[in-house]
Amino acid sequence: MVTSAPENPQNPADALPKSWDPSAVEAELYQGWVDAGYFSADPASDKPGYSIVLPPPNVTGSLHMGHALDHTLMDALTRRKRMQGYETLWLPGMDHAGIATQTVVEKQLAADGKAKEDFGRELFIDKVWDWKRESGGTIQGQMRRIGDGVDWSRDRFTMDEGLSRAVQTVFKRMYDDGLIYRAERLVNWSPVLQTAISDIEVKFEEVEGELVSLRYGSLNDDEPHVIVATTRVETMLGDTAVAVHPEDERYKHLVGTTIHHPITERQIPVIADDYVDPTFGTGAVKITPAHDPNDFEMGLRHNLPMPTIMDKAGKIADSGTRFDGMDRFEARVKIREALAEQGRVVAEKRPYLHSVGHSERSGETIEPRLSMQWWVKVETLAKAAGDAVRNGDMVIHPASQEPRWFAWVDNMHDWCISRQLWWGHRIPIWYGPDGQVECFGPDETAPEGWEQDPDVLDTWFSSGLWPFSTMGWPEKTAELEKFYPTSVLVTGYDILFFWVARMMMFGTYVSGDDAIGDAKVPFTDLFLHGLVRDQFGKKMSKSRGNGIDPLDWVDRFGADALRFTLARGANPGSDLAVGEDHAQSSRNFANKLFNATKFALMNGAVVAELPARGDLTDADRWILDRLEQVRADVDEAFEKFEFSKACEALYHFAWDEVCDWYLELAKVQFAEDADRAAHTRAVLGTVLDALLRLLHPVIPFVTETLWKVLTGGESLVVAAWPAASTQTADDDAARRIEDMQKLVTEVRRFRSDQGLKPSQKVAARITEIDAADLAAQVPAVRSLARLTDPAEGFSATASVEVRLSRATVTVELDTSGTIDVAAEIARLRKDLAVAEKELAGTSAKLGNEAFLAKAPAPVVEKITARKQIAEEEIARFTARLAELGQA
């Protein structure tokens, strides 16, 4: 038996503020967690390891809603695993973001009338490091505001000395293995930045252009000629062929001949290729291999010349025409005018909407350009990345994303890894005075007089090593032994190909070396979440003006509200739409939790040993059983990365069952004898203790505040995760509580229909309560439905009949002077209409011979039962209407 806690003049509830104010406690709580070392990982621990590496945000940026979602989910996973007894490592860091960072610093110099060339490479890089030291802490501050439980002692940067060593090491290994080579290939070229850029840094936009049809060959209709259509007239200066489909009868006689180029005066061949679509336009296309990806591939197939007719700045160069020196867009106009003068412009289609790639950083139109670059040969690496998923070494969540993964890695092209920048990892290739080319590793020195390659590596090269370079690779470290491979990678599906694939290729490549050991992959699970969209489902962007600063929500609603909003909407692979209403709802939830716990504390709720099951009420057993079911549901959802399901289960349990029902039932039980009150306080304390633990990974601040006061414990961060109960669920108690809830709800609905105030008490007689097996629930029913015992001479003026699982209970009320007869008639007629519709529907099904022949017996039985209930309700509603003179 649980006894009451001793009288304490200082109620624990007094330790809580009057209301929940996140801004007053969050910063102090977070710093307390850090100072206590709760987030620090110990590789020497005998606990099982669990690790996540933070996808490194660009050092130039700040956290947007996508980052906030990422961080919330990773924090929830690591907090839960820590509570489950794992040694957890959540490793933070930032990416040097080569192009973005160099662009920022160059813009600062430009504001002072300077350029990077005024300083030279070394001094410019020093300036970038200065900027990084001054501005690089923005994101760290934002992470603290959100509540990220990362191990700050292991904060990494992709240009750190240790990570640079990893980059040089893997580059040399791959170079020596023949996986890295130099070749002239087509790349995405930025004329403003004057460098190759990656696919992810190209944003395609719909733009209005003009589709111009041009005549190649003779102007005489009786002599060979071809009409082609293009949106890029200027690239015709680099044309080396005209292509048609092999089966196109219109052009078969021209295939293998040459045709006059209208500007360069060259004769260019007419070739046949299956790539050409004979149904599009005229069925003939001009081929410019050095300035179009598809043309480049065709040029390789047909061994065509590939002259580059634009320089690094996007100006016409070396074309041998009068257009040399013109900007590409100026040349487009001038060349079209020159062709029009010749009578070669057959047609112009304006406007012509088409998709054009633009530089994410500098905004200008990207130029496909033939350029000498460094490349990774990806065939064997991509196959290993694909096989890792096929073999189950790495599992993708949701599985529906697997086809996209295979479509990418099974068809991957060689990767351009060089960038014409100064900021980044310098390519470790040196050139000797006599034409020697050699790669030197981190412990090697190039001979005097040799010059290093001026290019730097693509940012994705160093970030692709992130899961193991951050733990000390290529050295054999305790961190790698304990925490590698990492447990899960959490990221958006939109960078599945760019970053995730790179990490998988590198991770499988280094597998088996001394430092990595048997680890086959860099992470065993990959969780892909969707994009955060605005409340209308639109993609957030600066141009739309619908972006939301996550820190603005932290300021206005609290970090817990931000986190709960994002986690509650996070389903594997699905986008989530959020708006201020969602954040306010989450803030209301935190308030509800705060007020409920404070109420419980004020009424003596304690975390104590529970009494024997037999000494508990139905309500006590019901809420404990519901807690166990919710715990199991939450555990299952977390293991499947179904954060939305976990949050929904906890939200509705906390609000609908604990607050709306059990707390109200507890008030009734508090008023009973001392033992019953003590039992209730113990049950309530137990439920809140477990509920706060279950909610902590997602909303750590309010739960920490409440739990420490409720339990007197050190911190929820290091508290144990709720364990499974050994008790068998009491189905009878659950049935009785469900019936009691239905009875109370129906009486409340009737009272509302009558216009009775919620606080107004009404005398009532309840019949058939014993038959319904609810005798023990009568005090609760009367309290929650605001019903008093009938006095002598009681005369009912209205009644409510509620069909429960074992009997129909009638509540007769004396509403004399309060009942609205018209409202009661309207309610009964509404209920009668519903019952008649149900009777019609079930009767139709049961009267359908085809349905009865195919339907399983349980289905027929269920419909038959529904028909019987409808008939009974119609009789009841009709009788009641007759009593009110509505026969």
Side-chain angles (χ1 to χ4, degrees), residues 73-148:
L73 303 185
M74 285 182 277
D75 195 34
L77 289 171
T78 50
R79 284 179 183 269
R80 174 173 173 265
K81 286 296 182 180
R82 185 183 297 111
M83 295 174 74
Q84 287 183 313
Y86 287 78
E87 187 65 31
T88 59
L89 167 62
W90 184 17
L91 193 149
M94 286 184 286
D95 194 296
H96 66 279
I99 290 176
T101 304
Q102 180 162 321
T103 300
V104 167
V105 178
E106 284 196 77
K107 285 182 178 178
Q108 290 181 344
L109 296 179
D112 296 328
K114 300 286 186 181
K116 67 179 189 296
E117 290 78 10
D118 296 328
F119 298 90
R121 186 168 191 141
E122 298 304 320
L123 281 178
F124 175 76
I125 290 174
D126 287 342
K127 287 188 173 295
V128 179
W129 276 108
D130 289 342
W131 177 89
K132 188 266 179 183
R133 281 187 284 269
E134 292 174 7
S135 305
T138 300
I139 288 176
Q140 292 181 347
Q142 292 174 318
M143 289 169 63
R144 292 171 179 267
R145 294 286 309 281
I146 292 173
D148 287 3

Coordinates of all heavy atoms in Angstrom, one line a residue, residues 73-148:
L73 N 15.6 16.0 -35.8 CA 15.5 14.6 -35.9 C 16.8 13.9 -35.4 O 16.7 12.9 -34.7 CB 15.2 14.2 -37.3 CG 13.9 14.8 -37.9 CD1 13.7 14.3 -39.3 CD2 12.7 14.6 -37.0
M74 N 17.9 14.4 -35.7 CA 19.2 13.8 -35.2 C 19.3 13.9 -33.7 O 19.7 13.0 -33.0 CB 20.4 14.5 -35.9 CG 20.6 14.1 -37.3 SD 22.1 14.8 -38.1 CE 21.4 16.4 -38.6
D75 N 18.9 15.1 -33.2 CA 18.9 15.3 -31.7 C 18.0 14.3 -31.0 O 18.3 13.7 -30.0 CB 18.6 16.7 -31.4 CG 19.0 17.1 -29.9 OD1 20.0 16.6 -29.4 OD2 18.2 17.9 -29.3
A76 N 16.8 14.1 -31.6 CA 15.8 13.2 -31.0 C 16.3 11.8 -31.0 O 16.2 11.1 -30.0 CB 14.5 13.3 -31.8
L77 N 17.0 11.4 -32.1 CA 17.5 10.0 -32.1 C 18.6 9.8 -31.1 O 18.7 8.8 -30.4 CB 18.1 9.7 -33.5 CG 17.0 9.6 -34.6 CD1 17.7 9.6 -36.0 CD2 16.2 8.3 -34.4
T78 N 19.6 10.8 -31.0 CA 20.7 10.6 -30.1 C 20.2 10.7 -28.6 O 20.7 10.0 -27.7 CB 21.8 11.6 -30.4 OG1 21.3 12.9 -30.5 CG2 22.5 11.3 -31.7
R79 N 19.3 11.6 -28.3 CA 18.8 11.8 -26.9 C 18.1 10.5 -26.5 O 18.3 10.0 -25.4 CB 17.9 12.9 -26.8 CG 18.6 14.3 -26.8 CD 17.5 15.4 -26.7 NE 18.2 16.8 -26.8 CZ 18.6 17.5 -25.7 NH1 18.4 16.9 -24.5 NH2 19.1 18.6 -25.9
R80 N 17.3 9.9 -27.4 CA 16.7 8.6 -27.0 C 17.7 7.5 -26.8 O 17.6 6.8 -25.8 CB 15.7 8.2 -28.1 CG 15.0 6.9 -27.9 CD 13.9 6.6 -28.9 NE 13.4 5.3 -28.8 CZ 13.8 4.2 -29.5 NH1 14.8 4.4 -30.4 NH2 13.3 3.0 -29.3
K81 N 18.6 7.4 -27.7 CA 19.6 6.3 -27.5 C 20.5 6.5 -26.3 O 20.8 5.5 -25.6 CB 20.5 6.2 -28.8 CG 19.8 5.7 -30.0 CD 19.4 4.2 -29.8 CE 18.8 3.6 -31.0 NZ 18.4 2.1 -30.7
R82 N 20.8 7.7 -25.9 CA 21.5 8.0 -24.7 C 20.7 7.5 -23.5 O 21.2 6.9 -22.6 CB 21.8 9.5 -24.6 CG 22.7 9.8 -23.4 CD 23.0 11.3 -23.3 NE 23.7 11.8 -24.4 CZ 23.1 12.7 -25.4 NH1 21.9 13.0 -25.3 NH2 23.9 13.1 -26.4
M83 N 19.4 7.8 -23.5 CA 18.5 7.4 -22.4 C 18.4 5.9 -22.4 O 18.1 5.3 -21.3 CB 17.2 8.0 -22.6 CG 17.2 9.6 -22.4 SD 15.6 10.3 -22.8 CE 14.7 9.9 -21.3
Q84 N 18.6 5.2 -23.5 CA 18.5 3.8 -23.6 C 19.8 3.1 -23.2 O 19.8 1.8 -23.2 CB 18.1 3.3 -25.0 CG 16.6 3.6 -25.4 CD 16.3 3.1 -26.8 OE1 17.0 3.3 -27.7 NE2 15.2 2.4 -26.9
G85 N 20.8 3.8 -22.8 CA 22.0 3.2 -22.3 C 23.1 3.1 -23.3 O 24.1 2.4 -23.1
Y86 N 23.0 3.8 -24.4 CA 24.1 3.8 -25.4 C 25.1 4.9 -25.2 O 24.8 5.9 -24.6 CB 23.5 4.0 -26.8 CG 22.8 2.8 -27.4 CD1 21.5 2.5 -27.0 CD2 23.4 2.0 -28.3 CE1 20.8 1.4 -27.5 CE2 22.7 0.9 -28.8 CZ 21.4 0.6 -28.4 OH 20.7 -0.5 -28.9
E87 N 26.3 4.7 -25.6 CA 27.3 5.7 -25.6 C 27.2 6.5 -26.9 O 27.4 5.9 -28.0 CB 28.8 5.2 -25.5 CG 29.8 6.2 -25.3 CD 29.7 7.0 -24.0 OE1 29.2 6.4 -23.0 OE2 30.1 8.2 -24.0
T88 N 26.6 7.7 -26.8 CA 26.2 8.4 -28.1 C 27.2 9.4 -28.5 O 27.7 10.2 -27.6 CB 24.8 9.0 -27.9 OG1 24.9 9.9 -26.8 CG2 23.8 7.9 -27.6
L89 N 27.5 9.5 -29.8 CA 28.3 10.6 -30.3 C 27.5 11.2 -31.4 O 27.1 10.6 -32.4 CB 29.6 10.0 -30.9 CG 30.4 11.0 -31.8 CD1 30.8 12.2 -31.0 CD2 31.6 10.2 -32.5
W90 N 27.2 12.5 -31.3 CA 26.6 13.3 -32.3 C 27.7 14.3 -32.7 O 27.9 15.2 -31.9 CB 25.3 13.9 -32.0 CG 24.7 14.7 -33.1 CD1 25.0 14.6 -34.4 CD2 23.6 15.7 -33.0 NE1 24.2 15.5 -35.2 CE2 23.4 16.1 -34.3 CE3 22.9 16.2 -32.0 CZ2 22.4 17.1 -34.6 CZ3 22.0 17.2 -32.3 CH2 21.7 17.6 -33.6
L91 N 28.4 14.1 -33.8 CA 29.6 14.9 -34.1 C 29.2 16.1 -35.0 O 28.7 15.9 -36.1 CB 30.6 14.0 -34.8 CG 32.0 14.5 -34.9 CD1 33.0 13.3 -34.9 CD2 32.2 15.3 -36.2
P92 N 29.5 17.3 -34.5 CA 29.2 18.5 -35.3 C 30.3 19.0 -36.2 O 31.5 18.5 -36.1 CB 28.9 19.5 -34.2 CG 29.9 19.2 -33.2 CD 30.0 17.6 -33.2
G93 N 30.1 19.9 -37.0 CA 31.1 20.5 -37.9 C 30.5 21.3 -39.0 O 29.3 21.4 -39.2
M94 N 31.4 22.0 -39.7 CA 31.0 22.8 -40.9 C 31.9 22.5 -42.1 O 33.0 22.1 -42.0 CB 31.0 24.3 -40.5 CG 29.9 24.7 -39.5 SD 29.9 26.5 -39.2 CE 31.3 26.5 -38.0
D95 N 31.3 22.9 -43.2 CA 32.0 22.7 -44.5 C 32.6 24.0 -44.9 O 32.0 25.1 -44.8 CB 31.0 22.2 -45.6 CG 31.6 21.7 -46.8 OD1 32.3 22.5 -47.5 OD2 31.5 20.5 -47.1
H96 N 33.8 23.9 -45.5 CA 34.5 25.2 -45.9 C 33.8 25.8 -47.1 O 34.0 27.0 -47.4 CB 35.9 24.9 -46.3 CG 36.1 24.0 -47.4 ND1 36.0 22.6 -47.4 CD2 36.5 24.3 -48.7 CE1 36.3 22.1 -48.6 NE2 36.5 23.1 -49.4
A97 N 33.0 25.1 -47.9 CA 32.1 25.6 -48.9 C 32.9 26.5 -49.9 O 32.8 27.7 -49.9 CB 31.0 26.4 -48.3
G98 N 33.8 25.8 -50.6 CA 34.8 26.5 -51.5 C 34.2 27.7 -52.2 O 34.7 28.9 -52.0
I99 N 33.3 27.5 -53.1 CA 32.8 28.6 -54.0 C 32.1 29.6 -53.2 O 32.3 30.8 -53.3 CB 31.9 28.0 -55.1 CG1 32.7 27.2 -56.1 CG2 31.1 29.1 -55.8 CD1 31.8 26.5 -57.1
A100 N 31.2 29.2 -52.3 CA 30.4 30.1 -51.5 C 31.2 31.0 -50.6 O 31.1 32.3 -50.6 CB 29.4 29.4 -50.6
T101 N 32.2 30.4 -50.0 CA 33.1 31.2 -49.1 C 34.0 32.2 -49.9 O 34.1 33.4 -49.5 CB 33.9 30.3 -48.2 OG1 33.1 29.4 -47.5 CG2 34.8 31.1 -47.2
Q102 N 34.6 31.7 -50.9 CA 35.4 32.6 -51.7 C 34.6 33.7 -52.3 O 35.1 34.9 -52.3 CB 36.1 31.8 -52.9 CG 37.0 32.6 -53.7 CD 38.0 31.9 -54.5 OE1 38.6 30.9 -54.1 NE2 38.2 32.3 -55.8
T103 N 33.4 33.4 -52.7 CA 32.5 34.5 -53.2 C 32.2 35.6 -52.2 O 32.3 36.8 -52.5 CB 31.2 33.9 -53.8 OG1 31.5 32.9 -54.8 CG2 30.3 35.0 -54.3
V104 N 32.0 35.2 -51.0 CA 31.7 36.1 -49.9 C 32.9 37.0 -49.7 O 32.7 38.3 -49.6 CB 31.3 35.4 -48.6 CG1 31.3 36.3 -47.4 CG2 30.0 34.7 -48.7
V105 N 34.1 36.5 -49.6 CA 35.2 37.3 -49.3 C 35.6 38.2 -50.5 O 36.0 39.3 -50.3 CB 36.4 36.4 -48.9 CG1 37.7 37.2 -48.6 CG2 36.1 35.6 -47.6
E106 N 35.4 37.6 -51.7 CA 35.7 38.5 -52.9 C 34.8 39.7 -52.9 O 35.2 40.8 -53.3 CB 35.6 37.6 -54.1 CG 36.8 36.7 -54.4 CD 36.8 36.2 -55.8 OE1 37.2 37.0 -56.7 OE2 36.5 35.0 -56.0
K107 N 33.5 39.5 -52.6 CA 32.5 40.6 -52.5 C 33.0 41.6 -51.5 O 32.8 42.8 -51.8 CB 31.1 40.1 -52.2 CG 30.5 39.3 -53.4 CD 29.1 38.9 -53.1 CE 28.4 38.2 -54.2 NZ 27.0 37.7 -53.9
Q108 N 33.5 41.2 -50.4 CA 34.0 42.1 -49.4 C 35.1 43.0 -49.9 O 35.2 44.2 -49.7 CB 34.4 41.4 -48.1 CG 33.2 40.8 -47.3 CD 33.6 40.1 -46.1 OE1 34.8 39.8 -45.9 NE2 32.7 39.8 -45.2
L109 N 36.0 42.3 -50.6 CA 37.2 43.0 -51.2 C 36.7 44.0 -52.3 O 37.2 45.1 -52.4 CB 38.2 42.0 -51.8 CG 38.8 41.0 -50.8 CD1 39.8 40.1 -51.6 CD2 39.6 41.8 -49.8
A110 N 35.7 43.5 -53.1 CA 35.2 44.4 -54.2 C 34.6 45.7 -53.6 O 34.7 46.7 -54.3 CB 34.2 43.6 -55.0
A111 N 34.0 45.6 -52.4 CA 33.4 46.8 -51.8 C 34.5 47.8 -51.5 O 34.2 49.0 -51.5 CB 32.7 46.4 -50.5
D112 N 35.7 47.4 -51.4 CA 36.9 48.3 -51.1 C 37.7 48.5 -52.4 O 38.8 49.0 -52.4 CB 37.8 47.7 -50.1 CG 37.1 47.6 -48.7 OD1 36.2 48.5 -48.4 OD2 37.4 46.7 -47.9
G113 N 37.1 48.1 -53.5 CA 37.8 48.3 -54.8 C 38.9 47.4 -55.0 O 39.8 47.7 -55.8
K114 N 38.9 46.2 -54.4 CA 40.1 45.3 -54.5 C 39.6 44.0 -55.1 O 38.4 43.7 -55.1 CB 40.7 45.0 -53.1 CG 41.2 46.2 -52.4 CD 42.5 46.7 -53.0 CE 43.1 47.8 -52.2 NZ 44.4 48.3 -52.8
A115 N 40.5 43.2 -55.6 CA 40.3 41.9 -56.1 C 41.3 40.9 -55.5 O 42.3 41.4 -55.0 CB 40.4 41.8 -57.6
K116 N 41.0 39.6 -55.5 CA 41.9 38.7 -54.9 C 43.3 38.7 -55.5 O 44.3 38.5 -54.8 CB 41.3 37.3 -55.0 CG 41.2 36.6 -56.3 CD 40.6 35.2 -56.2 CE 40.6 34.5 -57.5 NZ 39.8 35.1 -58.6
E117 N 43.4 39.0 -56.8 CA 44.7 39.1 -57.5 C 45.5 40.2 -56.9 O 46.8 40.1 -57.1 CB 44.5 39.3 -59.0 CG 43.9 38.1 -59.7 CD 42.4 37.9 -59.6 OE1 41.7 38.9 -59.0 OE2 41.8 36.9 -60.0
D118 N 44.9 41.2 -56.3 CA 45.7 42.3 -55.7 C 46.5 41.8 -54.5 O 47.5 42.4 -54.1 CB 44.8 43.4 -55.2 CG 44.1 44.1 -56.4 OD1 44.7 44.1 -57.5 OD2 43.0 44.5 -56.2
F119 N 46.1 40.6 -53.9 CA 46.8 40.1 -52.7 C 47.6 38.9 -53.0 O 48.6 38.6 -52.3 CB 45.8 39.7 -51.7 CG 44.9 40.9 -51.2 CD1 43.7 41.2 -51.9 CD2 45.3 41.7 -50.1 CE1 43.0 42.3 -51.5 CE2 44.6 42.8 -49.7 CZ 43.4 43.1 -50.4
G120 N 47.3 38.2 -54.1 CA 48.0 36.9 -54.3 C 47.3 35.8 -53.6 O 46.5 36.0 -52.6
R121 N 47.6 34.6 -53.9 CA 46.9 33.4 -53.4 C 47.1 33.2 -51.9 O 46.1 33.1 -51.2 CB 47.4 32.1 -54.1 CG 46.7 30.9 -53.7 CD 47.0 29.7 -54.6 NE 46.0 28.6 -54.4 CZ 45.5 27.8 -55.4 NH1 45.9 28.1 -56.6 NH2 44.7 26.9 -55.1
E122 N 48.3 33.3 -51.4 CA 48.5 33.0 -50.0 C 47.8 34.1 -49.1 O 47.2 33.7 -48.1 CB 50.0 32.9 -49.7 CG 50.7 31.8 -50.4 CD 50.1 30.4 -50.1 OE1 49.7 30.2 -49.0 OE2 49.9 29.6 -51.1
L123 N 48.0 35.4 -49.4 CA 47.4 36.4 -48.6 C 45.9 36.4 -48.7 O 45.2 36.6 -47.7 CB 47.9 37.8 -49.1 CG 49.3 38.2 -48.6 CD1 49.7 39.5 -49.2 CD2 49.4 38.2 -47.1
F124 N 45.4 36.0 -49.9 CA 43.9 35.9 -50.0 C 43.4 34.8 -49.1 O 42.4 35.0 -48.4 CB 43.5 35.7 -51.5 CG 42.1 35.5 -51.6 CD1 41.2 36.5 -51.6 CD2 41.6 34.2 -51.8 CE1 39.8 36.3 -51.7 CE2 40.2 34.0 -52.0 CZ 39.3 35.0 -51.9
I125 N 44.0 33.7 -49.1 CA 43.6 32.6 -48.3 C 43.7 33.0 -46.8 O 42.8 32.6 -46.0 CB 44.4 31.3 -48.6 CG1 44.1 30.8 -50.0 CG2 44.2 30.2 -47.5 CD1 45.0 29.6 -50.4
D126 N 44.7 33.7 -46.4 CA 44.7 34.2 -45.0 C 43.5 35.1 -44.7 O 43.0 35.0 -43.6 CB 46.0 35.0 -44.8 CG 47.3 34.2 -44.8 OD1 47.1 33.0 -44.6 OD2 48.4 34.7 -44.9
K127 N 43.1 35.9 -45.7 CA 41.9 36.7 -45.4 C 40.6 35.8 -45.3 O 39.7 36.2 -44.5 CB 41.7 37.7 -46.6 CG 42.8 38.8 -46.5 CD 42.4 39.9 -47.6 CE 43.4 41.1 -47.4 NZ 43.2 41.8 -46.1
V128 N 40.6 34.8 -46.0 CA 39.4 33.9 -45.9 C 39.4 33.2 -44.5 O 38.3 33.1 -43.9 CB 39.4 32.8 -47.0 CG1 38.2 31.8 -46.8 CG2 39.4 33.4 -48.4
W129 N 40.6 32.8 -44.0 CA 40.6 32.2 -42.7 C 40.2 33.3 -41.6 O 39.5 33.0 -40.7 CB 42.0 31.7 -42.4 CG 42.3 30.3 -42.9 CD1 43.1 30.0 -44.0 CD2 41.7 29.1 -42.4 NE1 43.1 28.6 -44.1 CE2 42.3 28.1 -43.2 CE3 40.9 28.8 -41.3 CZ2 41.9 26.7 -42.9 CZ3 40.6 27.5 -41.1 CH2 41.1 26.5 -41.9
D130 N 40.6 34.5 -41.9 CA 40.2 35.6 -40.9 C 38.7 35.7 -40.9 O 38.1 35.9 -39.8 CB 40.9 36.9 -41.3 CG 42.4 37.0 -41.1 OD1 42.9 36.1 -40.3 OD2 43.0 37.8 -41.7
W131 N 38.1 35.7 -42.1 CA 36.7 35.8 -42.2 C 36.0 34.7 -41.5 O 35.0 34.8 -40.7 CB 36.2 35.9 -43.6 CG 34.7 35.9 -43.7 CD1 33.9 37.0 -43.8 CD2 33.8 34.8 -43.8 NE1 32.6 36.7 -43.8 CE2 32.5 35.3 -43.9 CE3 34.0 33.4 -43.8 CZ2 31.4 34.5 -44.0 CZ3 32.9 32.6 -43.9 CH2 31.6 33.1 -44.0
K132 N 36.5 33.5 -41.7 CA 36.0 32.3 -41.1 C 36.0 32.4 -39.5 O 35.0 32.0 -38.8 CB 36.7 31.0 -41.5 CG 36.1 29.7 -41.1 CD 36.7 29.1 -39.8 CE 36.0 27.8 -39.4 NZ 36.5 27.3 -38.2
R133 N 37.1 32.8 -39.0 CA 37.2 33.0 -37.5 C 36.2 34.0 -37.0 O 35.7 33.8 -35.9 CB 38.7 33.3 -37.2 CG 39.6 32.1 -37.2 CD 41.0 32.5 -36.7 NE 41.7 33.3 -37.6 CZ 42.6 32.8 -38.6 NH1 42.7 31.5 -38.6 NH2 43.2 33.6 -39.4
E134 N 36.0 35.0 -37.7 CA 35.1 36.1 -37.3 C 33.6 35.7 -37.4 O 32.8 36.1 -36.6 CB 35.4 37.4 -38.0 CG 36.7 38.0 -37.7 CD 37.0 39.2 -38.6 OE1 36.1 39.6 -39.3 OE2 38.2 39.7 -38.5
S135 N 33.3 35.1 -38.5 CA 31.9 34.9 -38.9 C 31.4 33.4 -38.8 O 30.2 33.2 -38.9 CB 31.6 35.4 -40.3 OG 32.0 36.7 -40.4
G136 N 32.3 32.5 -38.5 CA 32.0 31.1 -38.6 C 31.2 30.6 -37.4 O 30.7 29.5 -37.4
G137 N 31.0 31.4 -36.4 CA 30.3 31.0 -35.2 C 28.8 31.2 -35.2 O 28.1 30.8 -34.3
T138 N 28.3 31.7 -36.3 CA 26.8 32.0 -36.4 C 26.0 30.8 -36.2 O 25.1 30.7 -35.4 CB 26.5 32.7 -37.7 OG1 27.2 33.9 -37.8 CG2 25.0 33.0 -37.8
I139 N 26.4 29.7 -37.0 CA 25.6 28.5 -37.0 C 25.7 27.8 -35.6 O 24.7 27.3 -35.2 CB 26.1 27.6 -38.1 CG1 25.6 28.2 -39.5 CG2 25.6 26.2 -38.0 CD1 26.1 27.4 -40.7
Q140 N 26.9 27.8 -35.0 CA 27.0 27.2 -33.7 C 26.0 27.8 -32.7 O 25.4 27.1 -31.9 CB 28.4 27.3 -33.2 CG 29.4 26.5 -34.0 CD 30.8 26.6 -33.5 OE1 31.1 27.5 -32.7 NE2 31.7 25.8 -34.0
G141 N 25.9 29.1 -32.7 CA 25.0 29.8 -31.8 C 23.5 29.4 -32.1 O 22.7 29.2 -31.2
Q142 N 23.2 29.2 -33.4 CA 21.8 28.8 -33.7 C 21.6 27.4 -33.3 O 20.5 27.1 -32.8 CB 21.7 28.9 -35.2 CG 21.7 30.4 -35.7 CD 21.6 30.5 -37.2 OE1 22.3 29.7 -37.9 NE2 20.9 31.4 -37.7
M143 N 22.6 26.5 -33.4 CA 22.4 25.1 -33.0 C 22.1 25.1 -31.5 O 21.3 24.3 -31.0 CB 23.7 24.3 -33.3 CG 23.9 24.1 -34.8 SD 25.5 23.4 -35.3 CE 25.4 21.8 -34.4
R144 N 22.8 25.9 -30.7 CA 22.6 25.9 -29.3 C 21.2 26.4 -29.0 O 20.5 25.9 -28.1 CB 23.6 26.8 -28.6 CG 25.0 26.3 -28.6 CD 26.0 27.3 -28.2 NE 27.4 26.8 -28.2 CZ 28.0 26.2 -27.2 NH1 27.3 26.1 -26.0 NH2 29.2 25.7 -27.3
R145 N 20.7 27.4 -29.7 CA 19.3 27.9 -29.5 C 18.3 26.8 -29.8 O 17.3 26.7 -29.1 CB 19.0 29.0 -30.5 CG 19.9 30.3 -30.2 CD 19.4 31.0 -28.9 NE 18.0 31.3 -28.9 CZ 17.4 32.3 -29.6 NH1 18.1 33.1 -30.4 NH2 16.1 32.5 -29.5
I146 N 18.5 25.9 -30.7 CA 17.6 24.8 -31.1 C 17.7 23.7 -30.1 O 16.7 23.0 -29.9 CB 17.9 24.3 -32.5 CG1 17.5 25.4 -33.5 CG2 17.1 23.1 -32.8 CD1 17.9 25.1 -35.0
G147 N 18.8 23.6 -29.4 CA 19.0 22.5 -28.4 C 19.8 21.3 -28.8 O 19.7 20.3 -28.3
D148 N 20.6 21.5 -29.9 CA 21.4 20.4 -30.4 C 22.4 19.8 -29.4 O 23.3 20.5 -28.9 CB 22.3 20.9 -31.6 CG 21.4 21.1 -32.8 OD1 20.2 21.0 -32.8 OD2 22.0 21.5 -33.9

